[in-house]
Amino acid sequence: MSGSRAPVPLNDQDKEFLDAIRTPGTPENSAIERLVGKTLGLETSTSSALHTLVDVARKAVLEEVMVSGYAALAASLDDDDHAFTRAARRRTTEIATD
């Protein structure tokens, strides 16, 4: 995997947020730990914290893409598709109760 360094302009609000996600005990730090499964600390570099935020954002965007895809699929189904699904569920239930 190849990494690249890109300049990222940060305003005061961004800097405060980066401090918050790296400060143990803050709600932001706890949220990052729940989202990525690792703890950031005061020793975490700005670039590492930004990378963690990019990971969180990527996962959120991909989840939204999947949700939108499933919604589009559901909207494209017609009555025959729904009838097939109902019949398949009935068969599954019948097999499970035998």
Side-chain angles (χ1 to χ4, degrees):
M1 180 174 109
S2 162
S4 66
R5 298 214 178 251
V8 179
L10 300 174
N11 61 31
D12 289 339
Q13 186 179 13
D14 298 332
K15 292 173 188 173
E16 288 174 13
F17 183 67
L18 284 169
D19 287 341
I21 68 169
R22 292 183 288 188
T23 303
T26 62
E28 294 86 354
N29 182 267
S30 298
I32 289 293
E33 184 175 1
R34 286 190 304 274
L35 289 167
V36 297
K38 68 178 183 180
T39 303
L40 303 184
L42 296 173
E43 72 287 348
T44 303
S45 69
T46 298
S47 61
S48 182
L50 287 170
H51 179 72
T52 299
L53 291 175
V54 169
D55 282 346
V56 169
R58 180 176 19 85
K59 290 173 186 174
V61 168
L62 291 176
E63 184 175 320
E64 181 61 28
V65 167
M66 286 191 330
V67 167
S68 296
Y70 287 132
L73 175 62
S76 72
L77 298 178
D78 60 18
D79 290 339
D80 288 340
D81 295 318
H82 292 294
F84 178 82
T85 301
R86 284 191 301 275
R89 285 186 184 139
R90 273 195 308 276
R91 286 190 299 274
T92 302
T93 303
E94 291 169 2
I95 291 170
T97 57
D98 284 342

